[in-house]
Amino acid sequence: MKQDRLSQPDAAIFDMDGTLFETDTLLIPVHERVFRTLREEGLYREETPSVDTLLGCLGMLLEDIWRQVMPGSTEEARKRADELLLQYELEGLAAGEGSLYPHVEQTLRVLKTRGVKLFVASNGLEHYVKGVAQHRGIAPLFDGIYSAGEYGTSSKVDLVARLLADHGLQSSQVWMVGDRSSDVEAGKRNGLVSIGCAYARYGDGAELSDADRLIHDFRQLVDEL
């Protein structure tokens, strides 16, 4: 049975990696560069971890990602990995690497035209998250781009709460759109409608089992209205 349509929200909050941005189109070449440099600098002596391990950690805070990807690494190595990842990602974006998911820009423009305020809330680094939006031409569509790197939040729940308070948004009139359990949790714990992006490949599909809606194509966001 087809579910009832959702009411048009006042605002929609989007995760970045795995939701708007197809991260592996940028991260696969960057991943190898990061670990090659770490070995050249004597900070890492193991074989390069599988990029799938890194992709599977997307949505976590960076400090937690590196503990998963480089277990037993030093704080110095993890800090340097942060610096290199950001440097190489920004270089790749400037060179035209990395793609939005199909229909993202067009769908965001439709929502904006209909009066929906658009935001990003990501656990990534500030310059990376804003860099993706700027280099892919969607930055002007957003009323705010929030990242854990900028605000120092310890969870997506806290970051979304900060965003809602800053913009005076009523929780019941806001969508949280993302591909990971942290996005669903941020939506649920802040009283938002939670929409899970099932087209992403970076997590376990069971992560989205508590979402209010699942979408398999970004255009379905408009169809829900």
Side-chain angles (χ1 to χ4, degrees), residues 6-14 111 116 171-177 192-195 220-222 224-225:
L6 296 171
S7 299
Q8 177 168 311
D10 292 334
I13 303 171
F14 298 90
L111 291 170
V116 179
S171 297
S172 61
Q173 302 300 315
V174 180
W175 290 355
M176 179 70 220
V177 185
L192 316 183
V193 173
S194 177
I195 299 178
Q220 287 179 258
L221 288 175
V222 174
E224 289 285 359
L225 299 177

Side-chain angles (χ1 to χ4, degrees), residues 154-162 164 171-172 176 181-194 210 212:
S154 60
S155 72
K156 181 68 72 71
V157 173
D158 294 339
L159 185 63
V160 169
R162 168 81 182 251
L164 294 170
S171 297
S172 61
M176 179 70 220
S181 59
S182 57
D183 300 308
V184 176
E185 181 188 23
K188 292 291 185 180
R189 289 182 58 184
N190 283 292
L192 316 183
V193 173
S194 177
D210 290 334
D212 298 306

